[in-house]
Amino acid sequence: MVGHLLRLAAVALLLCSVVACHTNTPLPTEPDGSRELSLPRSDWANEHITSAELRPAIDRSGRYMIRACGPDGQFVYEINLDPSVVPGPQYNILRHAGTIYALAAYYRWQPGEPTREAMLRAADFLKRTSIDAVPEEDDLLAVWSHPEINRGDNPLTAKLGGTGLGLVALTAIERIQPGTTPLDELRRLGRFLVFMQKEDGSFYSKYIPSEGGRSDRWTSLYYPGEAALGLLMLYELDPSPVWFGAAAKCIDYLARLRSGKRDIEADHWALLATAKLLELADRDDMPVDRDAAVRHAADICDSILAGLPRYAPHQAADGCLTRDGRTCPTATRLEGLLAALTFLPESYAPLRARIAQVTGPGIAFLVRAQTVSGEHEGAISRMIPRPTDGYARAADPSETEVRIDYVQHATSAMIQFDHRSAAAATATER
């Protein structure tokens, strides 16, 4: 019994990183024997999420993504829990690729043939419909946003983030089933990302053939981090310094761009890419300005935490990380914050403790937003709906909207949280 309590206390210690910031009392065991996965909360977020609640929630959302993947590999992009609301026909190939990445994470968390088959179907759809050569650049491949698939009015475009996430998705599959995509094709996708990078480390956001090719008239917050992560995941398979160097150059540019700013965008993809960059730099002794990368990541985390709302205890939105009560930006912020905990050093102990204090409540918020039974089991709605008659009617139809990326990001965040908790528990048993 004493050993069990000591292990629970050590889990809390590793999650918060700073003993002085929290009580030394071991986390209590739930009546069903499951362990708690979060720190004691502040007075405005005072519930815990247990393994008995979290793991079934991950499984529900994972199975939702599998069911949403049709026989042709295309996902059901949007539904509404309110049956009177008919979603539009739009699609987004970037979110399609992101969902493949989440399915791969779900497979590694809990391998299963239905997950593998859905992942491969979705990858086949991506390659069959959206990956093609770049005009007059035969050595490059890109992920194209086709108007007939996205159901929009924009011209044929290869978005930086589309190719970045396409590479993230396909390389994630290679870790599970090597040879699914030929290495030469992955390299050609990587070369497109390098082709889109400027000398200072920034990128062109789009390649639009009808407008002359590379365009930076519009820039995306997330595309650079998505591109950097894709290049780093390619580097894991094909350790060329070209891929690592382009990704490092991107993170260095973002760090310089945001240095000294008070309000920094919640760029979770940059945090995920930074975690991968530092992991690979340590593994392969690759050159990288670690201090600048860590400071940049810490500044993003600080900015996220500085803007936290204060919801009343037991309010439906308690634990949400944004003032509008939405699930998807909460999930993406949690993905970034949890990634940062993997590399922020002990010199950032107070920041680590602040991050650890909000991740449990945030995950609990996402779990509360999940549909737990019925036709749409595992769905994550845009907000925790306020129904007047079950899910048949809500105060605002957008509250009950479910997009595939809402489920994707929530699942990814929950899996990261579970991995971190399991790793902390394992470390105490050694």
Side-chain angles (χ1 to χ4, degrees):
M1 178 65 181
V2 172
H4 177 64
L5 290 174
L6 288 172
R7 283 194 297 272
L8 288 171
V11 170
L13 173 61
L14 286 173
L15 285 173
C16 69
S17 303
V18 184
V19 178
C21 294
H22 301 284
T23 177
N24 290 323
T25 305
L27 294 177
T29 302
E30 293 297 299
D32 63 1
S34 64
R35 57 187 173 84
E36 291 192 351
L37 300 179
S38 69
L39 295 167
R41 301 193 188 176
S42 64
D43 60 352
W44 56 274
N46 53 14
E47 296 178 6
H48 295 283
I49 180 76
T50 69
S51 58
E53 297 166 324
L54 177 63
R55 288 169 186 158
I58 294 171
D59 196 45
R60 284 191 293 266
S61 284
R63 286 186 281 110
Y64 177 93
M65 291 187 293
I66 293 169
R67 293 195 311 273
C69 185
D72 66 348
Q74 186 171 8
F75 291 103
V76 176
Y77 181 68
E78 183 179 330
I79 64 167
N80 201 295
L81 300 177
D82 181 343
S84 69
V85 179
V86 179
Q90 68 274 10
Y91 203 70
N92 187 302
I93 202 66
L94 280 74
R95 291 168 182 154
H96 177 102
T99 305
I100 296 173
Y101 178 49
L103 275 172
Y106 177 60
Y107 182 90
R108 291 193 301 273
W109 182 80
Q110 180 176 282
E113 189 61 17
T115 311
R116 189 187 70 85
E117 290 177 353
M119 181 179 63
L120 293 177
R121 286 199 310 276
D124 181 68
F125 179 87
L126 175 69
K127 291 189 283 189
R128 188 177 70 250
T129 67
S130 302
I131 295 182
D132 208 343
V134 176
E136 300 181 7
E137 300 287 348
D138 294 339
D139 203 31
L140 308 181
L141 283 177
V143 173
W144 294 88
S145 293
H146 289 277
E148 59 269 29
I149 293 176
N150 287 358
R151 305 294 181 90
D153 298 328
N154 293 323
L156 177 66
T157 302
K159 299 176 181 178
L160 177 75
T163 302
L165 287 178
L167 200 49
V168 164
L170 296 177
T171 53
I173 292 175
E174 289 301 302
R175 291 179 57 188
I176 296 167
Q177 187 159 314
T180 301
T181 305
L183 182 57
D184 180 64
E185 293 182 14
L186 298 174
R187 286 170 173 160
R188 291 172 70 190
L189 290 166
R191 282 194 285 269
F192 175 76
L193 298 178
V194 175
F195 169 74
M196 294 288 281
Q197 190 170 40
K198 301 178 183 179
E199 186 60 34
D200 65 357
S202 65
F203 288 94
Y204 294 95
S205 286
K206 296 180 179 181
Y207 185 98
I208 309 173
S210 63
E211 297 181 7
R214 291 178 291 193
S215 173
D216 57 5
R217 288 189 303 160
W218 174 85
T219 58
S220 167
L221 166 62
Y222 299 122
Y223 288 2
E226 291 164 346
L229 183 59
L231 287 164
L232 291 165
M233 292 178 69
L234 175 58
Y235 172 81
E236 288 186 289
L237 296 175
D238 180 40
S240 165
V242 173
W243 315 133
F244 187 93
K249 194 173 178 180
C250 168
I251 297 302
D252 181 65
Y253 168 79
L254 293 176
R256 287 184 282 107
L257 177 69
R258 294 165 175 166
S259 179
K261 289 187 177 180
R262 174 176 294 183
D263 297 320
I264 298 175
E265 301 92 338
D267 189 353
H268 67 284
W269 286 112
L271 293 174
L272 289 164
T274 300
K276 181 64 70 176
L277 177 77
L278 297 178
E279 171 196 336
L280 294 174
D282 290 344
R283 187 193 75 179
D284 295 350
D285 194 27
M286 296 295 287
V288 63
D289 188 343
R290 186 180 189 92
D291 289 343
V294 170
R295 281 196 305 271
H296 171 238
D299 287 345
I300 296 174
C301 295
D302 265 326
S303 192
I304 291 172
L305 297 174
L308 290 182
R310 288 183 175 269
Y311 293 104
H314 308 297
Q315 187 176 351
D318 184 24
C320 178
L321 301 187
T322 64
R323 299 179 186 278
D324 54 13
R326 289 187 295 144
T327 57
C328 194
T330 294
T332 58
R333 283 161 171 76
L334 287 170
E335 288 179 89
L337 292 172
L338 287 163
L341 283 179
T342 67
F343 62 80
L344 286 174
E346 286 305 312
S347 57
Y348 287 86
L351 176 59
R352 291 173 58 88
R354 289 164 59 209
I355 293 172
Q357 195 171 23
V358 304
T359 52
I363 294 294
F365 166 72
L366 295 178
V367 172
R368 290 198 304 275
Q370 186 184 65
T371 301
V372 298
S373 62
E375 178 186 2
H376 303 305
E377 181 184 3
I380 302 288
S381 52
R382 182 176 183 268
M383 302 170 68
I384 294 183
R386 300 185 296 273
T388 56
D389 180 18
Y391 277 125
R393 293 289 183 271
D396 180 350
S398 70
E399 295 179 7
T400 47
E401 171 188 274
V402 178
R403 261 186 1 211
I404 196 65
D405 55 312
Y406 301 170
V407 184
Q408 165 218 325
H409 286 296
T411 307
S412 296
M414 289 189 286
I415 289 173
Q416 281 179 260
F417 188 81
D418 187 61
H419 282 326
R420 179 164 179 79
S421 302
T426 300
T428 66
E429 294 172 359
R430 291 176 180 170

